[in-house]
Amino acid sequence: MGGAGFGRSYPIIPDLKAKEQSIARLFLRHHLQRSFGVEGGINFGVLEGENNHENKNYYFSSVIIPIDVRLLLMPVITPRLNPYVTGGLGVMYFNPVDKSDRPLINNKRGEYKLFTPYLPLTAGIQYFFTENTAIELNGSYYLTTTKYLDDVDRGKVDNYWSIMLNLTAFIASGSLDNDMDGLTNDDEFKLKTNPNNPDTDGDGIPDHLDECPTVPGLPQFNGCPDTDGDGIPDHLDECPDVPGPKENNGCPWPDRDGDGVPDGEPVQGLGD
């Protein structure tokens, strides 16, 4: 699956007031299991902050380009709503400048490298609004190893966080079982069931045990319906909308002589 996200970023730097800025992410995600996957992605964004403390006006802005690989875990799986967490490792490019887009003093002097390793930690929630498309809302905290995101060593490592809204599209692998219901995605495609829902018709009978997995039915008929309530499931009933005896394949007996007694119904031990 692939996706794109858009949101806002906020630097966490001692003595600096964070100014929110835009951030975007492109990513690819592969689910090894429905609840576990690997994600690789790249972000494009800006960090910005200022400090007016003690009549000193300090400002910085930095383009950031983080690239990372993350492991994804979904502790709870439902057909629609799934919380998740991710953690990983990446490398980020940054370049602190002033309001005129000129490199700040330490940046200009080459006092530090413009790349830093970082650990991205994310918590979010995913909502499927179609069978293979979902939106996600998440918050991420980025732990870096540099003290120079704002060009100044303030004695502590600089970090930042973001909040993002993602749109994701899934291409299901045929050999996987996305919803862990015992049917592969290929099986679900052939049965026309939902590969992300273990009970497509919502009748309480999982797809792999349901003989009619796309139509709500009854447990006594292995998930198949009995519309007319005659004790014969619709797929075996030649007259599914009209009650009839099993001996006549679920259809009512005819009354060919018009005497009000169905032909197949015995009267006082005599047939009609």
Side-chain angles (χ1 to χ4, degrees), residues 26-164:
L26 298 174
F27 60 90
L28 293 174
R29 187 181 296 166
H30 176 64
H31 279 267
L32 303 173
Q33 297 179 0
R34 181 70 177 91
S35 61
F36 179 74
V38 179
E39 176 181 310
I42 180 170
N43 292 14
F44 303 90
V46 174
L47 296 179
E48 188 176 12
E50 62 183 355
N51 182 357
N52 294 315
H53 184 59
E54 296 179 351
N55 296 320
K56 294 180 180 180
N57 187 1
Y58 180 80
Y59 169 90
F60 94 98
S61 176
S62 177
V63 169
I64 55 171
I65 305 177
I67 302 175
D68 57 56
V69 176
R70 309 179 184 187
L71 297 179
L72 176 142
L73 177 65
M74 292 182 169
V76 178
I77 301 293
T78 71
R80 292 286 184 184
L81 202 62
N82 302 307
Y84 66 91
V85 293
T86 73
L89 180 64
V91 176
M92 181 177 72
Y93 167 80
F94 65 103
N95 185 26
V97 297
D98 60 20
K99 290 184 177 180
S100 300
D101 287 331
R102 295 174 298 191
L104 290 169
I105 295 175
N106 289 322
N107 184 5
K108 187 175 182 180
R109 292 175 179 172
E111 295 290 334
Y112 52 86
K113 295 180 179 179
L114 299 181
F115 292 88
T116 177
Y118 70 94
L119 299 175
L121 303 174
T122 300
I125 192 161
Q126 176 188 79
Y127 175 76
F128 280 89
F129 59 90
T130 72
E131 188 172 302
N132 292 307
T133 311
I135 56 173
E136 300 175 356
L137 179 65
N138 66 49
S140 298
Y141 193 88
Y142 297 81
L143 297 162
T144 78
T145 62
T146 184
K147 300 177 182 179
Y148 291 99
L149 281 185
D150 65 334
D151 192 63
V152 178
D153 181 355
R154 301 174 187 273
K156 293 183 179 180
V157 171
D158 299 333
N159 302 309
Y160 72 99
W161 69 280
S162 69
I163 184 168
M164 300 189 74

Side-chain angles (χ1 to χ4, degrees), residues 134-207:
I135 56 173
E136 300 175 356
L137 179 65
N138 66 49
S140 298
Y141 193 88
Y142 297 81
L143 297 162
T144 78
T145 62
T146 184
K147 300 177 182 179
Y148 291 99
L149 281 185
D150 65 334
D151 192 63
V152 178
D153 181 355
R154 301 174 187 273
K156 293 183 179 180
V157 171
D158 299 333
N159 302 309
Y160 72 99
W161 69 280
S162 69
I163 184 168
M164 300 189 74
L165 184 67
N166 298 340
L167 176 65
T168 59
F170 291 79
I171 301 176
S173 171
S175 61
L176 293 179
D177 179 9
N178 279 9
D179 52 15
M180 297 184 293
D181 64 355
L183 297 172
T184 67
N185 294 333
D186 277 344
D187 293 334
E188 304 247 20
F189 177 78
K190 294 174 184 176
L191 293 170
K192 299 182 179 180
T193 52
N194 186 344
N196 296 309
N197 186 346
D199 181 14
T200 299
D201 56 18
D203 61 3
I205 302 168
D207 290 346

